[in-house]
Amino acid sequence: MAGQGFIGLRDLPRSGAPRKLSETYQQVLCAWATAEACTAPQLRDRLSEEHGVQVSVGVVQAALKEKNYVWKRTRHSLKKTG
């Protein structure tokens, strides 16, 4: 029997569009992100090249955020030019 309240929602099927990235590809992204410092566009390009999966940078960022990965901009991106 399904639980009640918010806990019970995990048992129910979700409405809306299916996920863009399967759990397998999310784990691949996490492994790459753990192994070396990469940007989301770099991870997206690598996923496209090695697995043929075409997704946006936002999907990659959302997948990593869902897995509790946190990243910051590099210091040189904050420098003012001119």
Side-chain angles (χ1 to χ4, degrees):
M1 181 172 171
Q4 302 257 337
F6 287 117
I7 301 297
L9 292 176
R10 291 186 176 190
D11 296 341
L12 300 175
R14 294 178 177 250
S15 63
R19 292 184 174 268
K20 305 284 188 232
L21 280 176
S22 68
E23 183 65 29
T24 303
Y25 292 128
Q26 287 182 359
Q27 290 175 356
V28 167
L29 285 173
C30 291
W32 290 341
T34 301
E36 60 182 301
C38 297
T39 63
Q42 290 171 331
L43 291 171
R44 179 204 53 199
D45 294 343
R46 187 171 176 186
L47 190 64
S48 175
E49 291 168 3
E50 294 186 18
H51 296 280
V53 177
Q54 301 289 328
V55 293
S56 70
V57 172
V59 169
V60 171
Q61 290 173 335
L64 292 174
K65 193 172 193 178
E66 183 179 318
K67 297 293 185 182
N68 296 323
Y69 278 77
V70 179
W71 63 92
K72 296 194 274 184
R73 292 182 291 178
T74 56
R75 184 174 288 274
H76 68 82
S77 69
L78 299 175
K79 289 184 179 178
K80 295 181 181 177
T81 59

